[in-house]
């Protein structure tokens, strides 16, 4: 996650990047099966409308994001595919 830029061009790029990332999560959840699909579907469903909430300390949605991302990694591992999560800026909210 990157801080939101303050100039209009930067905001537009950040918004487009955010939309592309969310679209990728959704596409992956639609293509997955079993527990991986369940974990990805939960991850997508629990993402807040305002993604800046994910960077706020004591954020319930931020903690859900970390927990749900770890659940996706665990489901993938159990299904025989290891994935590596990028380091989260905050591991505990």
């Amino acid at each position: 996650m990157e801080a939101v830029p303050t100039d209009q061009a930067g905001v537009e790029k950040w918004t487009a990047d955010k939309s592309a990332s969310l679209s990728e999560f959704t596409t992956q959840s639609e293509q997955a099966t079993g527990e991986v699909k369940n974990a990805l579907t939960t991850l997508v469903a629990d993402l807040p409308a305002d993604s800046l909430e994910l960077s706020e300390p004591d954020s319930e949605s931020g903690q859900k994001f970390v927990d749900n991302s770890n659940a996706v990694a665990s489901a993938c591992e159990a299904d025989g595919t290891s994935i590596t999560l990028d380091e989260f800026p905050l591991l505990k909210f």
Side-chain angles (χ1 to χ4, degrees):
M1 178 177 304
E2 296 177 19
V4 177
T6 56
D7 66 327
Q8 186 60 36
V11 169
E12 289 172 7
K13 180 183 180 327
W14 185 89
T15 301
D17 290 347
K18 173 187 148 190
S19 295
S21 293
L22 290 175
S23 177
E24 187 175 329
F25 272 132
T26 301
T27 298
Q28 290 173 354
S29 69
E30 291 168 352
Q31 295 173 351
T33 60
E35 288 303 313
V36 174
K37 181 178 185 78
N38 292 340
L40 277 169
T41 300
T42 299
L43 174 71
V44 171
D46 285 348
L47 288 171
D50 180 359
S51 59
L52 289 177
E53 289 179 27
L54 298 175
S55 64
E56 297 172 0
D58 298 323
S59 163
E60 183 178 326
S61 58
Q63 188 61 54
K64 279 185 180 181
F65 179 73
V66 171
D67 295 344
N68 291 339
S69 296
N70 286 323
V72 169
S74 294
C76 288
E77 181 76 30
D79 200 39
T81 303
S82 295
I83 65 170
T84 302
L85 299 175
D86 288 337
E87 185 176 327
F88 296 117
L90 298 171
L91 294 177
K92 182 72 179 152
F93 287 82

